Amino acid sequence: MERRAIISGIGQSAIGRRLGRDELDLTVEAGVAAIADAGLTRDDIDGISTYPGMGAGTPGFGGPPTPDVQDAMGLKLNWHDGGGEGAGQMRAVIAASLAVAAGLAKNVLVYRTVTEGSGGIPRFGSFMQWSLPFGAVSAANWIAMVGQRRMHEFGLTREQLGQIAVNGRRNAALNPKAIYSDPLSLDDYLAARMISTPLCLYDCDAPCDGSTAVIVSHRNLASDLDHPAVHINAVGTALRGRPSWDQYDDMTSMAALDAGTSMWERTEIKPTDVDTAQLYDGFSILAIVWLEALGFCGRGESGPFIEGGHNIARDGLLPLNTAGGQLSGGRLHGFGLIHEACVQLRGEGGDRQVVRPGGRNPEVAAVANGGGPIAGAMLLTRGIR
């Protein structure tokens, strides 16, 4: 049913380390831009969806609730949705595509807003009562265990891991909205201070302020657009293992494996058909996990696959995180990756535009959101496949 939906419009607010702007202000800016990009008006928007909804999470994480955005933008809705439980951050896009497919709405505004660059003091609770006494205060500590396990089991090296950060910074230099764009060499990476072994400073994403919005519409709108429609071909939503940061069945794969497997079960497209991958890199090790979970290389083979950086470069076998990802582009919590996939499929990347063999623009993009116990994946195409 997801193939009945397209991403008809995209928009982003200003993005910065500490903008000092209200989260609702940023959301409206991104939403207005996305609606205009789709050639629609606010009267055409009859659905709204976000992640995680109701301002959940630590300060600067939740974004404005959908009732606030509806009121600020004067929207009249037939369908609305929000929530933190589901297939990663892109659950909001997946929910919107199914709502459109089912006829509950025609055009859904989907947004993700963060002000973590300007955010306050985190709040701790829930499962963290068990990890805090051991000094595991953030996802950096939990995810570091995945990196350690991969080094032990597969021989992953820091030099290989560093290619995710170096590649992202190289691409971010061509993204005018990127948080960090100064050159980063592998030597710079290896010399950076350690945060939680084996993750150093450059393995961790850059907290920022910003909002990303997309319009999910019925595919009947595709012919009315003044740019190529981005079609939703398949989604991956499965969670077949234990929903835990540190007690998943396989500490080298996490929920990404389930999401990736279920996505390929819903399409005739193969990993070799993918022209660009925008893979979640809240920490560099997560992008490595996703490379294997989505079948771009075999189990334990991601280290050699990215060694030297050639395969993941913009002119390589699998151009990766072409706007800089979250390590350099900024922690837009997965939605920046969705936005960039659409930019690349529409051929609007400018200096960072991927050009595939034969001089063609990308036709298939894979996007992944999430890590640990939550994960979602999506195949986007230029045209119906």
Side-chain angles (χ1 to χ4, degrees), residues 140-368:
N141 309 124
W142 316 328
I143 296 298
M145 293 189 292
V146 177
Q148 289 282 65
R149 184 66 193 177
R150 283 185 157 268
M151 288 183 167
H152 169 76
E153 190 165 337
F154 304 133
L156 177 70
T157 68
R158 289 199 65 222
E159 287 79 6
Q160 293 170 339
L161 182 62
Q163 292 298 334
I164 298 294
V166 171
N167 177 74
R169 183 64 62 87
R170 185 184 304 116
N171 292 335
L174 301 176
N175 175 10
K177 288 190 173 184
I179 300 298
Y180 298 129
S181 56
D182 293 339
L184 177 70
S185 68
L186 186 58
D187 287 340
D188 295 331
Y189 167 87
L190 294 172
R193 63 185 173 93
M194 194 61 63
I195 301 300
S196 189
T197 307
L199 305 180
C200 72
L201 179 65
Y202 296 124
D203 290 308
C204 306
D205 58 13
C208 66
D209 300 344
S211 180
T212 305
V214 301
I215 307 299
V216 176
S217 302
H218 194 279
R219 67 185 181 193
N220 290 344
L221 185 67
S223 60
D224 297 332
L225 301 177
D226 63 0
H227 51 257
V230 173
H231 291 254
I232 299 174
N233 177 270
V235 298
T237 59
L239 180 58
R240 296 163 179 163
R242 191 173 184 185
S244 170
W245 285 97
D246 58 356
Q247 297 181 46
Y248 190 74
D249 307 58
D250 176 7
M251 276 297 291
T252 68
S253 65
M254 303 179 289
L257 179 61
D258 297 336
T261 300
S262 67
M263 182 186 77
W264 294 119
E265 291 170 352
R266 299 183 61 80
T267 183
E268 295 76 37
I269 293 174
K270 306 298 182 185
T272 51
D273 297 323
V274 174
D275 294 309
T276 181
Q278 309 295 329
L279 306 183
Y280 194 72
D281 59 344
F283 300 96
S284 56
I285 193 68
L286 293 178
I288 283 181
V289 169
W290 276 112
L291 283 170
E292 296 179 18
L294 292 177
F296 297 123
C297 56
R299 175 176 163 79
E301 296 177 358
S302 53
F305 181 81
I306 65 173
E307 188 166 0
H310 307 296
N311 281 338
I312 58 174
R314 286 192 314 280
D315 59 352
L317 181 67
L318 184 71
L320 177 70
N321 294 355
T322 50
Q326 302 194 135
L327 299 179
S328 290
R331 178 183 160 82
L332 296 170
H333 210 219
F335 267 52
L337 302 171
I338 298 171
H339 183 277
E340 177 64 10
C342 294
V343 167
Q344 290 293 332
L345 291 174
R346 287 164 50 161
E348 297 173 351
D351 291 339
R352 68 176 188 272
Q353 179 64 43
V354 169
V355 179
R356 302 308 289 154
R360 64 178 177 84
N361 287 326
E363 296 175 3
V364 180
V367 189

Side-chain angles (χ1 to χ4, degrees), residues 73 98 157:
M73 299 187 69
L98 297 180
T157 68

